Each structure stands twice: as structure tokens, then as C-alpha cells.
């Protein structure tokens, strides 16, 4: 079994994902969140760092977790109860946690949006959805039936799709922003797309999408964000010759 330096992998991830350059939400803590004794022999990828996924990582004997939603989104104390159990599991089993939120969303090759566009067969993508000083999503020209596109999305994610049929039945300009961008339907429409694919959104977006004349396809927050951690873990596996697995713990949301 190949052994690699945790510090070496972290440095590579930080550089590849431009962790220090990407302006994430104030409470997000990108990069290494928990270290181990310094060696990586097995990688586990997960969308969320939670007690359940940590238990799964320990069961799989992983010593590095790659996650999209990390442990820290603001003050996270005291470490008691289930939070203590989570921390104890990480430390006792020598499991490091590396988290990448917006840097992984926006990466042009390994990112959630790039990977989902590829899975949907959307080619020649262009930057889309300018937010926090950069384009987080991607858009593409196409000529797809709205129902057929929803079928493609469901097949790509393995999850049900909720469609707001507010726009044309033929989707010709499609924007993709994985995760929870549904509240930004107006921003998506303002950038000229007739169809907006994201993970989830509030109830009121149905009426808004109809008013704006755009289709919205909700593919699930979790389901649309499995792509990036898988791609990053697979990339690290090839580069450093370390086995990896995906810890699937869907929320249905």
C-alpha cells in the first residue's frame, strides 16, 4: 500500500483548487480542517463531514476524508455529546479532513459544475453566475427538450428531479450551479439563460420562475454535489497511487 505525506497532498489540493484565492462565504473554512499523524494511505470522499460519514470512513480504514461541506461553518463549540464522539473518532483513528466548498464548485475540470455539465452532455461551456468576485457556474448552448433534459439530470445524479416549467419547452441556453442556488433564479435569468439547473430552492421560486420565463430544474442539493469530491479523490488516487472510495450518505434534499 502506497504511503504519501498528508502535507504534500494538502499543498497540492490548495494549489490546484486555488484555496487561498477563492473568496468563499465568511464562515466557510476551506483546506485542511483536521490533521492526522501525517500519512495518507486511503482516501474517502463524501459530500458532508458528519458523524455518520466519519463512522463510514473509519469503517473503511481511510485516513483522509475529502469533503465538500466541512465541519466548520462558524463557531463550533462546545465539543460535547455527538460532536465529541465525532472528534474522538477522527483523532483515535487518525483520520484527517480536507474540505473544499466554493473552490471545488468553481474548478474548471474537477468542480461540481464542470463534472455535472459533462455528465449532462453539455459541451463548450462558458462562465456563468458571477458571485463573490468570480463565476461559480457554467452555461452552454443546446437544443434539448425540457423533459429530456430532466431525464438526463435524473440519470446523472441518480436522484428525482423537480421541474419548474416556467420557460420554453426547448432549452437552448442552460445554466448550471450545483447546490443551493435556487434563491438566485433572478440572477440566473438576468445572465440570459432560459433554463437553470441547481440543487434546491425555496417555495417562492416557482412563481418567480414563471414570472421570469425560465425553467428551473432542481436535482437535489446533495445529488448535484457528489461530483466534485469524487473527481478530486479520483484525481489524487491516480496521481499518488492511493486507493479511494465514495461514502454515499444521501439526504434526499
Amino acid at each position: 500500500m502506497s504511503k504519501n505525506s498528508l502535507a504534500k497532498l494538502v499543498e497540492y489540493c490548495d494549489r490546484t483548487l486555488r484555496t487561498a484565492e477563492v473568496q468563499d462565504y465568511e464562515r466557510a473554512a476551506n483546506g485542511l480542517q483536521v490533521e492526522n499523524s501525517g500519512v495518507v494511505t486511503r482516501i474517502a470522499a463524501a459530500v458532508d463531514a458528519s458523524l455518520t460519514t466519519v463512522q463510514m470512513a473509519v469503517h473503511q480504514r481511510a485516513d483522509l476524508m475529502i469533503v465538500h461541506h466541512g465541519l466548520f461553518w462558524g463557531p463550533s463549540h462546545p465539543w460535547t455529546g455527538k460532536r465529541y464522539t465525532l472528534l474522538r473518532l477522527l483523532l483515535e483513528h487518525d483520520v484527517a479532513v480536507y474540505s473544499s466548498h466554493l473552490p471545488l464548485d468553481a474548478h474548471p475540470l474537477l468542480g461540481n459544475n464542470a463534472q455535472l455539465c459533462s455528465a449532462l452532455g453539455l459541451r463548450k461551456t462558458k462562465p456563468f453566475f458571477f458571485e463573490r468576485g468570480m463565476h461559480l457556474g457554467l452555461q452552454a448552448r443546446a437544443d434539448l427538450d425540457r423533459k429530456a433534459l430532466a431525464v438526463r439530470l435524473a440519470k446523472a445524479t441518480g436522484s428525482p428531479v423537480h421541474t419548474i416549467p416556467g420557460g420554453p419547452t426547448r432549452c437552448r441556453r442552460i445554466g448550471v450551479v450545483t447546490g443551493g442556488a435556487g434563491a438566485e433564479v433572478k440572477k440566473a435569468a438576468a445572465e440570459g439563460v432560459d433554463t437553470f439547473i441547481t440543487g434546491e430552492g425555496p417555495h417562492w421560486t416557482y412563481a418567480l420562475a414563471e414570472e421570469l420565463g425560465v425553467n428551473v430544474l432542481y436535482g437535489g442539493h446533495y445529488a448535484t454535489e457528489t461530483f466534485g469530491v469524487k473527481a478530486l479523490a479520483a484525481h489524487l488516487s491516480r496521481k499518488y497511487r492511493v486507493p479511494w472510495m465514495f461514502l454515499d450518505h444521501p439526504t434526499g434534499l
Side-chain angles (χ1 to χ4, degrees):
M1 182 179 294
S2 179
K3 293 184 178 181
N4 287 278
S5 161
L6 174 65
K8 186 176 180 180
L9 265 71
V10 168
E11 188 277 331
Y12 179 79
C13 288
D14 284 345
R15 177 161 38 87
T16 300
L17 299 171
R18 302 188 305 117
T19 300
E21 302 168 43
V22 173
Q23 182 185 354
D24 209 321
Y25 298 100
E26 184 179 353
R27 294 174 295 174
N30 292 307
L32 186 64
Q33 294 192 337
V34 179
E35 64 180 329
N36 65 7
S37 60
V39 175
V40 176
T41 62
R42 188 182 297 264
I43 298 172
V47 174
D48 306 295
S50 66
L51 176 57
T52 298
T53 57
V54 168
Q55 290 170 332
M56 294 167 72
V58 168
H59 179 72
Q60 293 291 339
R61 293 176 297 158
D63 40 33
L64 171 62
M65 290 183 69
I66 299 287
V67 300
H68 185 53
H69 301 135
L71 295 166
F72 307 111
W73 299 93
S76 183
H77 55 75
W79 286 82
T80 59
K82 295 297 184 182
R83 296 290 288 176
Y84 166 72
T85 302
L86 186 157
L87 180 62
R88 188 188 68 198
L89 280 171
L90 290 172
L91 298 181
E92 287 184 351
H93 295 275
D94 204 30
V95 182
V97 178
Y98 185 95
S99 177
S100 187
H101 187 231
L102 293 190
L104 188 54
D105 280 327
H107 192 273
L109 178 62
L110 303 173
N112 283 310
N113 295 300
Q115 290 286 318
L116 179 53
C117 282
S118 178
L120 292 173
L122 301 178
R123 311 299 179 196
K124 297 182 179 179
T125 56
K126 295 182 179 180
F128 169 66
F129 204 84
F130 192 78
E131 179 79 9
R132 309 191 75 78
M134 62 181 176
H135 288 94
L136 293 180
L138 294 169
Q139 62 172 304
R141 300 266 182 190
D143 185 10
L144 293 169
D145 176 77
R146 183 173 58 207
K147 291 182 179 178
L149 179 59
V151 170
R152 282 196 193 187
L153 179 58
K155 184 177 179 180
T157 62
S159 181
V161 173
H162 182 82
T163 300
I164 303 176
T169 58
R170 301 296 297 183
C171 305
R172 291 186 165 84
R173 190 170 171 188
I174 303 167
V176 177
V177 179
T178 61
E184 301 296 338
V185 172
K186 189 173 182 179
K187 175 192 282 287
E191 293 194 30
V193 300
D194 59 42
T195 302
F196 182 39
I197 296 175
T198 187
E200 63 172 335
H203 168 80
W204 51 262
T205 57
Y206 197 103
L208 179 60
E210 290 181 322
E211 292 172 10
L212 294 171
V214 297
N215 302 308
V216 179
L217 275 62
Y218 288 136
H221 195 139
Y222 176 92
T224 60
E225 296 197 321
T226 62
F227 296 90
V229 289
K230 289 179 180 178
L232 178 58
H235 177 73
L236 294 173
S237 175
R238 291 190 297 270
K239 182 175 178 61
Y240 293 101
R241 298 184 179 181
V242 177
W244 78 280
M245 76 286 299
F246 177 60
L247 308 176
D248 195 15
H249 187 52
T251 63
L253 301 172

